[in-house]
Amino acid sequence: MRAAIGRFGAAHVLAFGLPLALLAGAWGSQLFGGLYPCQLCHWQRWPHYAALAIAGLAFFVPGAGVRRALVLLAAVAIAVSGGIGIAHAGVEYGWWPGFTACTSTLQLGGLDAAGRLDAIMHAPLVRCDRAPWTLAGISLAGFNAIFSLAGAATIFLLTLTRSVR
C-alpha cells in the first residue's frame, strides 16, 4: 500500500479506494444482509461507479496534470454521491418529502402470467422514506453522505497541497 501511495499519491489512492469500499459495503448489505436498495440508494451508487472508473483510468494515463484532473473529477463524483446521500437521508428522517417512487425487486424472466402476478404481489417493496438499518441513528444514506463528503474534501485538500504523481 505504501508503494501505491508513494507512486500515485494519497489523493489518488483515496479517490479509488473510497468508492470501492462504499460500493462493496452497499453490495454486501444487499447481497448478504438482505437490505434491498430503493431508487435513491441506486442514485447514490452511480456517482461512485463513475468515480471508480475515473480514478482507475488515472492510474494508466501519463502526465501528472492529467492524473490530477482525473483525481479531482473523481472527487467531484464522490461529492455528488454525498449530496444525494444528504437528500436521501433528509427523506428518511422526514426533513422533506421524497421525490421518487418507491421501488421493488422483481424477477419476472421466464414466468407465465400467473407467475408474474404472484411475483408482483409478493415482491418486497423498498420505501425511500424508511431507513432499513441505522447505527446511532444514522442511516446508510447518512453514512454515505458523511464518508463521501469527508472523503471528497480530503481528496481536494490532498490534491491542492501535494502533487498527484
Side-chain angles (χ1 to χ4, degrees):
M1 182 67 165
R2 185 174 286 244
I5 291 174
R7 182 168 177 217
F8 297 112
H12 190 177
V13 172
L14 184 59
F16 185 80
L18 180 63
L20 181 65
L22 290 174
L23 285 169
W27 276 102
S29 67
Q30 178 180 341
L31 297 175
F32 304 113
L35 300 177
Y36 296 102
C38 70
Q39 186 65 38
L40 288 173
C41 294
H42 283 293
W43 288 2
Q44 291 173 79
R45 291 180 187 188
W46 286 106
H48 284 308
Y49 293 131
L52 196 59
I54 293 165
L57 175 65
F59 283 112
F60 301 103
V61 298
V66 175
R67 275 193 298 279
R68 177 186 306 266
L70 289 172
V71 167
L72 287 172
L73 187 58
V76 168
I78 293 167
V80 166
S81 180
I84 297 168
I86 289 173
H88 188 190
V91 170
E92 290 175 336
Y93 300 138
W95 296 340
W96 44 76
F99 39 87
T100 183
C102 294
T103 60
S104 180
T105 57
L106 289 177
Q107 303 294 329
L108 299 177
L111 297 177
D112 62 3
R116 287 179 186 202
L117 179 60
D118 186 55
I120 290 169
M121 297 307 291
H122 293 97
L125 181 65
V126 183
R127 295 184 53 144
C128 295
D129 62 348
R130 300 286 162 90
W133 181 89
T134 62
L135 178 64
I138 302 172
S139 68
L140 289 173
F143 278 113
N144 178 59
I146 292 166
F147 290 130
S148 294
L149 293 174
T154 302
I155 294 165
F156 280 118
L157 289 173
L158 287 171
T159 303
L160 295 176
T161 59
R162 299 180 184 167
S163 65
V164 175
R165 299 176 196 142

